[in-house]
Amino acid sequence: MSLGKVARGLVLPARVALRPAAPVLHRSYAAVSEARAVLESELEGIRVAGTWKAERIITSKQGPQINVEGSRSTILNFCANNYLGLSSHPEVVQAGIDALNTHGAGLSSVRFICGTQDLHKNLEQKLAEFHEREDCILYASCFDANAGLFEVLLGPDDAVLSDELNHASIIDGIRLCRAKRLRYKHMDLRDLETKLKEAQSSRLRLVVTDGVFSMDGDVALSGICDLADQYGALVFIDECHATGFRVWRARGRGTDELLGVMDRVHIVNSTLGKALGGAAGGYTVGPKPLIDLLRQRSRPYLFSNSLPPPVVGCALRAVELLLASNEISQSMTAKTMRFRNKMTEAGFTISGSAHPICPVMLGDARLASLMSDDMLKLGIYVIGFSFPVVPKGKARIRVQISAAHTDQDIDQCVDAFIQTGRKHGVVS
């Protein structure tokens, strides 16, 4: 039989086999269409509410001055978590280049298979030294560190007591564990004590809080360790917005150092993606048995590729710079207070206290969005925050001061706020 006859013989059965699929395909298209309509309706609701979050395109490296797509001139950046200006520090950048050359672009694997290099172990050792803890474990992000901790540490016989305004990654991480969950009012020691009393029958009790609450600039921990000691609880803090820079003349180790309780805070999670180079990565520091157990059971660690060597190299150099000297961060407090004082004198309400996160409270989501757009036209890059990032009615423009900003940069930002605030009736 010729190949042509064979091919013709296959055509008819194939056509017959495909005929019944048409209604199935139609139903599939209908399902997609219905889902699209639901999604578009949800998106339109966000636009109408004025809470749409557009992503501006930066065409330069991160720093106090950046180039933004659509803007003709250089823009002053006041919304990055680049607290120490290390994202583009020459030594940090060169360390990343060196690591790329010596250790490659990536490991193509998870840590326990073939994804651990000497760079990773060196960084973990330096971070443990920096925080004055026994050991450290790296993650792809602090979100992963928070997602990977509670499920391993806590079981159904334990209790976790969490501040109601803790970061979303903490909330999601706690949802993964089977411990009894108790939420206490924001930085309310009386309510925390009530919850601790309620949890006394539990095997382990873990108090969980942000060290600095990133939306408000509130500094927690004061009094928490006293209650934890009284009721036999462990203490965990997320230090993403406190690690690495000086606040109130501290060395930059975090809020536990600031308040003199480093030996009473048992577990610290933080990030490499803010003050420590600004690339990516997170970590947990704490007792060695905990870190060893996380290496065995923490799912984000076990099932995610190890951090790329250039990222590790950059972070390692950033930590080394901070261990060697406080010079980089010495001006942070003065610059922060300069902005806070000038804005308060102009009639704005600034949340938090003495932290470089300086939320300009506006209340209305649409107003926050409009003002941030007008600020960009004046050469200042800031972003409006609204629900669900912050509670409804608590919209604000969050300004973040960097050690790399000059006094002139800060004064220009304040002047732009005053001009925009007058336009929208926020200040007179």
Side-chain angles (χ1 to χ4, degrees):
M1 182 183 293
S2 69
L3 289 176
K5 289 182 178 180
V6 171
R8 285 192 296 273
L10 290 174
V11 170
L12 182 59
R15 287 176 178 171
V16 172
L18 289 174
R19 282 176 188 167
V24 175
L25 289 174
H26 177 73
R27 287 196 298 272
S28 176
Y29 291 140
V32 171
S33 178
E34 183 177 352
R36 182 182 293 272
V38 171
L39 296 173
E40 290 292 350
S41 176
E42 189 73 17
L43 291 171
E44 183 59 25
I46 296 173
R47 295 187 185 95
V48 170
T51 58
W52 183 268
K53 297 162 187 63
E55 296 184 4
R56 296 168 180 163
I57 307 300
I58 298 174
T59 58
S60 65
K61 61 186 177 183
Q62 184 64 277
Q65 297 183 344
I66 57 175
N67 296 323
V68 178
E69 189 175 273
S71 297
R72 297 180 180 179
S73 58
T74 300
I75 303 296
L76 287 176
N77 186 8
F78 279 90
C79 65
N81 295 315
N82 184 27
Y83 292 111
L84 300 180
L86 295 181
S87 294
S88 54
H89 189 284
E91 292 186 38
V92 173
V93 172
Q94 186 60 51
I97 294 171
D98 293 343
L100 180 65
N101 289 329
T102 59
H103 290 72
L107 278 299
S108 305
S109 184
V110 299
R111 288 278 296 267
F112 79 93
I113 298 178
C114 58
T116 298
Q117 294 175 320
D118 54 346
L119 278 176
H120 298 91
K121 302 305 293 184
N122 291 343
L123 178 56
E124 287 171 337
Q125 185 272 323
K126 287 293 183 182
L127 288 168
E129 177 186 346
F130 183 82
H131 286 279
E132 300 179 11
R133 296 318 199 276
E134 291 182 16
D135 204 355
C136 172
I137 179 173
L138 290 173
Y139 288 89
S141 68
C142 191
F143 202 114
D144 278 348
N146 286 337
L149 173 68
F150 304 106
E151 183 181 20
V152 173
L153 178 62
L154 303 174
D157 296 329
D158 305 316
V160 56
L161 304 93
S162 177
D163 189 294
E164 65 180 351
L165 295 188
N166 276 338
H167 191 267
S169 60
I170 294 176
I171 295 170
D172 286 357
I174 289 174
R175 285 172 178 163
L176 295 173
C177 78
R178 295 185 292 165
K180 181 179 181 180
R181 306 168 198 169
L182 301 168
R183 186 173 65 172
Y184 64 92
K185 296 176 183 177
H186 179 50
M187 295 176 60
D188 187 325
L189 294 180
R190 287 187 178 182
D191 194 40
L192 174 57
E193 184 171 17
T194 298
K195 300 299 191 297
L196 281 167
K197 291 177 179 178
E198 185 179 339
Q200 281 305 286
S201 62
S202 299
R203 181 189 62 169
L204 295 178
R205 292 160 296 285
L206 180 66
V207 179
V208 175
T209 181
D210 282 1
V212 173
F213 288 85
S214 61
M215 291 297 107
D216 299 289
D218 292 338
V219 179
L221 204 58
S222 180
I224 287 178
C225 291
D226 292 336
L227 284 176
D229 289 346
Q230 182 179 346
Y231 290 95
L234 300 171
V235 177
F236 163 96
I237 54 174
D238 180 309
E239 289 285 76
C240 287
H241 290 274
T243 294
F245 52 90
R246 293 164 60 94
V247 182
W248 306 281
R249 303 187 183 278
R251 294 177 301 156
R253 300 302 189 264
T255 52
D256 56 346
E257 181 218 358
L258 170 68
L259 299 174
V261 292
M262 291 186 77
D263 59 335
R264 298 164 70 193
V265 173
H266 307 95
I267 307 166
V268 177
N269 278 9
S270 194
T271 183
L272 306 174
K274 294 182 172 58
L276 301 184
Y283 58 90
T284 298
V285 293
K288 188 175 186 339
L290 170 64
I291 303 304
D292 288 343
L293 186 60
L294 291 173
R295 292 192 195 280
Q296 300 303 312
R297 293 185 178 173
S298 182
R299 293 167 68 84
Y301 177 83
L302 290 170
F303 298 103
S304 296
N305 268 19
S306 53
L307 279 174
V311 171
V312 178
C314 288
L316 182 58
R317 187 59 188 139
V319 176
E320 289 172 345
L321 289 171
L322 297 181
L323 284 169
S325 171
N326 289 326
E327 182 179 354
I328 298 174
S329 55
Q330 283 179 341
S331 65
M332 177 65 71
T333 298
K335 290 177 180 179
T336 296
M337 296 315 298
R338 183 183 186 91
F339 178 81
R340 284 180 171 273
N341 290 338
K342 284 180 172 287
M343 288 290 286
T344 301
E345 291 171 3
F348 290 97
T349 299
I350 311 298
S351 181
S353 174
H355 191 277
I357 293 174
C358 304
V360 182
M361 304 303 294
L362 299 171
D364 182 78
R366 189 179 297 278
L367 174 62
S369 179
L370 290 174
M371 281 189 62
S372 63
D373 288 343
D374 287 343
M375 291 285 288
L376 184 61
K377 296 173 184 176
L378 296 174
I380 306 296
Y381 191 154
V382 289
I383 295 292
F385 285 73
S386 56
F387 182 82
V389 180
V390 297
K392 290 183 178 179
K394 298 288 186 178
R396 80 282 308 266
I397 293 176
R398 188 182 68 176
V399 177
Q400 289 166 268
I401 306 300
S402 169
H405 286 131
T406 65
D407 288 347
Q408 291 73 22
D409 293 340
I410 292 170
D411 292 346
Q412 185 176 337
C413 181
V414 172
D415 290 342
F417 261 111
I418 293 173
Q419 182 177 334
T420 305
R422 287 173 177 167
K423 173 182 176 182
H424 292 279
V426 177
V427 295
S428 57

